[in-house]
């Protein structure tokens, strides 16, 4: 297997807790290249951010539980303070708790990190809302809270959402990080969206992880040449939040380093 490759402009920049709603019967682990089931069509009852199943809430007592968006339908956990912020959206096989350990690291480093639940998952509720719209609502919330620079981060399903959301953000976001993103998920076509990307973007995936390495190559190729873009491919088959787990292996560390370098370049503290 070749060594990791980094293409384009060189950027100077999770544990899994599954919470399945009763109404969510068709959603499985992320896959790219074709539509996935839409899941529930009826919103579940309102849930507090510390909804049953979100065990990480009590594991991070310093995190702030928040709700935002029209009707406050999206739930999240906010770590840290400051004007430089990140939105983090999880994979389809989990909830915001997947991002909580890394969000806590970011908060300790000086960022404000907002891990959110996708619609219909965990503490969120809005069966009709697309994941990318929840990302945009999180962006709006952070800016209203005083954030002056925001990077969107997504793992797998979340990667598709942040890539679709970024071109719609006004003013533009400061960066986008997509880890193991499907090209298409739940009605959202990220490959169609990335030609409109103007914000710096980092694509990362493992070459042995099904089609996700190829997806990352497609994303990089479809992103405009004028956009600051970085592609990192590593050996192995780890996926999404796996790259940023505390006990990550040597290949995963390469992705973590790429993320750190990206943030240092595009959203320095």
């Amino acid at each position: 297997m070749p060594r990791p490759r980094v293409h384009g402009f060189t950027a100077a920049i999770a544990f899994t807790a599954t919470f399945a709603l009763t109404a969510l019967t068709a959603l499985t682990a992320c896959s790219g290249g074709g539509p996935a089931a839409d899941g529930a069509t009826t919103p579940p009852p309102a849930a507090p951010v510390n909804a049953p199943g979100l065990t990480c809430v009590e594991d991070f007592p310093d995190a702030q539980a928040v709700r935002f968006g029209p009707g406050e339908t999206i739930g999240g956990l906010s770590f840290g303070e400051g004007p430089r912020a990140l939105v983090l959206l999880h994979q389809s096989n989990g909830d915001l708790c997947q991002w909580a350990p890394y969000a806590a690291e970011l908060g300790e480093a000086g960022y404000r990190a907002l891990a959110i639940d996708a619609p219909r998952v965990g503490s969120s509720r809005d069966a009709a809302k697309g994941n990318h719209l929840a990302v945009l609502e999180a962006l709006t919330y952070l800016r209203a809270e005083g954030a002056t620079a925001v990077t969107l981060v997504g793992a797998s399903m979340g990667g598709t959402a942040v890539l679709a959301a970024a071109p719609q953000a006004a003013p533009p976001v400061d960066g986008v990080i997509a880890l193991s993103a499907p090209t298409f998920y739940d009605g959202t076509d990220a490959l169609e969206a990335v030609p409109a990307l103007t914000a710096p973007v980092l694509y990362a995936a493992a070459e042995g992880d099904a089609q996700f390495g190829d997806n990352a190559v497609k994303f990089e190729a479809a992103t405009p040449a004028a956009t600051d873009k970085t592609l990192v491919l590593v050996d192995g088959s780890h996926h999404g939040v796996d790259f940023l787990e505390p006990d990550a292996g040597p290949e995963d560390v390469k992705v973590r380093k790429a993320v750190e370098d990206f943030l240092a370049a595009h959203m320095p503290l």
Side-chain angles (χ1 to χ4, degrees):
M1 190 70 67
R3 297 182 63 184
R5 302 192 297 273
V6 179
H7 302 276
F9 295 89
T10 299
I13 137 137
F15 65 92
T16 301
T18 303
F19 178 80
L21 296 173
T22 302
L24 190 61
T25 59
L27 192 60
T28 57
C30 290
S31 60
D38 288 337
T41 56
T42 302
V49 171
N50 61 343
L54 293 182
T55 56
C56 64
V57 173
E58 56 192 47
D59 293 335
F60 298 93
D62 292 334
Q64 178 188 8
V66 300
R67 301 200 70 83
F68 53 87
E72 296 190 334
T73 57
I74 304 301
L77 275 184
S78 181
F79 299 78
E81 299 177 344
R84 306 204 181 296
L86 299 94
V87 177
L88 302 108
L89 184 61
H90 57 83
Q91 301 173 184
S92 70
N93 62 342
D95 51 36
L96 62 79
C97 291
Q98 286 185 323
W99 275 119
Y102 189 65
E105 287 186 40
L106 291 169
E108 291 173 0
Y111 292 104
R112 181 173 183 183
L114 177 59
I116 69 171
D117 271 329
R120 305 186 299 270
V121 176
S123 61
S124 293
R125 49 181 173 85
D126 192 334
K129 184 178 296 179
N131 294 337
H132 69 292
L133 295 180
V135 171
L136 290 171
E137 289 174 4
L139 172 62
T140 298
Y141 168 79
L142 286 171
R143 285 175 168 167
E145 288 277 301
T148 58
V150 182
T151 290
L152 308 179
V153 186
S156 197
M157 168 191 82
T160 307
V162 299
L163 291 172
Q168 300 181 35
V173 295
D174 294 81
V176 186
I177 299 173
L179 307 178
S180 312
T183 57
F184 185 101
Y185 189 84
D186 198 21
T188 298
D189 192 334
L191 196 58
E192 185 177 77
V194 296
L197 266 179
T198 58
V201 59
L202 168 64
Y203 302 112
E207 294 187 283
D209 180 23
Q211 72 273 36
F212 296 102
D214 289 340
N215 288 351
V217 173
K218 292 176 183 177
F219 283 132
E220 193 272 344
T223 303
T227 298
D228 188 338
K229 55 183 178 177
T230 302
L231 170 64
V232 177
L233 299 176
V234 299
D235 292 344
S237 58
H238 275 187
H239 185 81
V241 293
D242 294 343
F243 293 121
L244 299 173
E245 290 181 349
D247 59 349
E251 291 299 303
D252 303 329
V253 168
K254 295 171 185 176
V255 176
R256 175 183 276 265
K257 180 65 163 53
V259 170
E260 292 172 350
D261 288 349
F262 184 91
L263 293 176
H266 303 295
M267 207 168 64
L269 293 170

